[in-house]
Amino acid sequence: MAEFDWSSIPGAWPFLWAGMQTTLEITVLAVAAGIVWGTLLAIMRMSDIRLLSWFAASYVNLFRSIPLVMVLLWFFLIVPALLESLFSTPRTSDTRLSSALVAFALFEAAYYAEIIRAGIQSVSRGQSAAALALGMSQSQTMRLVILPQAVSNMVPLLLTQGIILFQDTSLVYVSSLADFFGAAYKVGDRDGRLVELLLFAGAVYFAICFSASMLVKHFQKRAGS
Amino acid sequence: MGYHWNWGIFLAQVPSGGTSYLGWMLSGLMTTLALSLSAWIIALVIGSAMGVLRTVPNRWLSGIGALYVELFRNIPLLVQLFIWYFVLPELLPERLGNAYKEINPLLQQFTAAMICLGLFTGARVCEQVRSGIDSLPRGQRLAGLALGLSGPQTYRYVLLPMAFRIIVPPLTSEFLNIFKNSAVASTIGLLELAAQGRQLVDYTAQPYESFIAVTLTFMLLNALIMSLMHRLEARVRVPGQGGHHG
Amino acid sequence: MISIRNVSKHYGSFQVLSDCSTEVEKGEVIVVCGPSGSGKSTLIKCVNGLEPFQQGEIVVNGISVGDPKTKLAKLRAHVGMVFQNFELFPHMSVSDNLAIAQIKVLGRSREEAIGRGLKLLDRVGLSAQAEKYPGQLSGGQQQRVAIARALAMDPICMLFDEPTSALDPEMVKEVLDVMVDLAQEGMTMMVVSHEMGFARRVAHRVIFMDQGRIVEDAPKEEFFGQPRSERAQQFLSKILQH
């Protein structure tokens, strides 16, 4: 069995920290954009306008049936080429981070849309009937009665999906963008200490995701009681 | 745009000869299928066993189940894959580790990816099995025991048959996920479908055709599995029970 | 047949049963009543070991339930139990529900088990439903199947845990009729129930529980004539109002 040597980690700290910042940046921006776009998709999907609901359903089904790796590859390999031919931006400019952001936001929106739709539909029909019977308008019913109940149902799921997204950002490895995992891999590869760096990365992800999911559970319990 | 579409590219011979680009894609598809199905078997077996453990009235046993789930759910799939592929051989006793490194690299990649996907998905199956069992009325377990069935018999004949029926829909989405997640194996060099797609781009400079073909294949797979699982769901439905009630 | 001696049970600091004692002789029918939360369902589940208890002793047919060496499954195989929510197994046909434990626990052949099941199904008036699934039957029918399922094991005594309280009112009678027949045939029965009509007709003794204690344990005539405790009197007058 190989001897462990963790000494390359402290020296590489700034580089790893920069990677973690990239990871967090992608996560936070993609969650925010994904929720906004996902909400729009959910509303479209439930709308009476056929074209809108058809578009939203197809969008959601498309993104949910292909691997995230594939989506990322599309964006890394093809979008820059597309942009180049459309706007003749120079090929040298680094579009990887923005490509990743767009890819994650578009991809996650499909998942968020389903969570939001399920949350809204989990509120019983009787509730909207009761609100309409009180003379509220459709939008008042949504805003004052349905959404407040739906939100408390879906917040834990949205947060859990956020944790999954945080983990999935590691897949930007396919574009050799230095997120936290990419940074750890590069350090390990450079120093011949891949085993240590991979275990270290695993432990860091575990610590963060485990604490975050405990927090979500805690909120869920408090909201439930 | 100056792009030249050339769908005929798939029929062209690859530079090393012997097969066409279509042949590459098909072999990628085969690898994706073999990897996903074998990992799914691991996931079902381990996930069911752990899911049952999580519901037994013994703290230590259910603790083991909980530990398994938390460990495999809170580390990114990619990191797990790299650990199975790069780290495990180093942690094995030297002789075993060296023996592993001697075997065909393709087989190394495949086994690492299979174990990784199997255990990763198993943790999610475990949670589904647990919630399926927990969703049954408490009286079902008591009724089984009251008839004199042993604990394992109660699981085998009373709890699991209903629990599995209830969780067919969430298991379907886990089954679909395993196909999608198998694409992560391209990162350690396993030539599954997505990796073949990338290889095609490198060799032919026809990225759109290649990516469209891979994407469509994944969508087709998805639709196929979904319809198979719908049929399964209808077949195991219990007469007199609503579509999704226990 | 069933002997309950000084049984106490608590969840943490909450006392569910305190110092309960009673005897059920062979062929005797005992009705246990009391307000909800009085511990009566817990007590009856202690008899076949579905609920553990911390103090005291329960002996069924000479076997101590609380003894860790006792093979509970073996004991339960001969103590029939009927639940409030029937608890038929939804994924099995009625005849499989009746057969499964006969085959897996008593080791009977499939033909024998199905045959015995059909006989008992006939007895509760449901032989036409043998191939249906529980979800296709009414509540009353399901409960009669559940009684037949317990009888198929040739029990030495029967435990009923509120067998009619989950039923629509019009279905209560069909279940009680089956239970009355059983009682009149001499089955030893311990019945948790609020059905005072049933108690008047066939019970030998009535036990009244309140806050985990057996407050009253008296022959039927005495209990309905002049209950000694005030709580039992209140309970009876409330029951009569609906």
Side-chain angles (χ1 to χ4, degrees), chain B residues 139-140 145-146 153 157 238-239, chain C residues 76 87-88 90-92 104 133:
Chain B
Q140 287 282 300
L145 294 173
Q153 280 179 323
Y157 298 111
V238 173
Chain C
R76 288 169 183 153
E87 305 302 351
L88 294 178
H91 57 293
M92 296 179 196
K104 298 298 170 191
Y133 282 77

Side-chain angles (χ1 to χ4, degrees), chain A residues 152 156 213-225:
Chain A
S152 70
S213 66
M214 286 295 122
L215 271 177
V216 172
K217 247 183 222 167
H218 177 73
F219 282 126
Q220 210 171 355
K221 245 183 221 153
R222 245 191 21 190
S225 60

Side-chain angles (χ1 to χ4, degrees), chain A residues 31-53:
Chain A
V31 165
I35 288 182
V36 171
W37 179 219
T39 308
L40 287 173
L41 282 168
I43 291 170
M44 281 194 249
R45 180 120 193 224
M46 290 183 296
S47 117
D48 292 329
I49 304 168
R50 269 267 205 54
L51 189 69
L52 285 183
S53 73

Side-chain angles (χ1 to χ4, degrees), chain A residues 1-2 4 62 64-67 73-74 77-78 111 167 170 173-174 181 185 195 205-206 209-210 217, chain B residues 1 70-71 73-76 78-79 82 86-87 90-91 180 183 198 208 211-212 214-215 218-219 222:
Chain A
M1 212 184 302
F4 286 121
L62 170 69
R64 284 169 65 100
S65 65
I66 48 180
L73 288 175
W74 267 107
L77 295 179
I78 291 176
Y111 288 81
Q167 293 186 19
S170 59
Y173 172 84
V174 297
F181 177 72
Y185 183 86
V195 170
Y205 275 110
F206 179 82
C209 297
F210 181 72
K217 247 183 222 167
Chain B
M1 290 198 300
E70 294 304 343
L71 194 61
R73 227 176 25 179
N74 286 311
I75 298 176
L78 181 68
V79 181
F82 275 49
F86 291 110
V87 178
E90 305 298 330
L91 298 185
K180 289 182 268 173
R198 274 181 94 173
Y208 293 100
F211 272 31
I212 288 171
V214 173
T215 304
F218 272 113
M219 288 172 68
N222 201 71

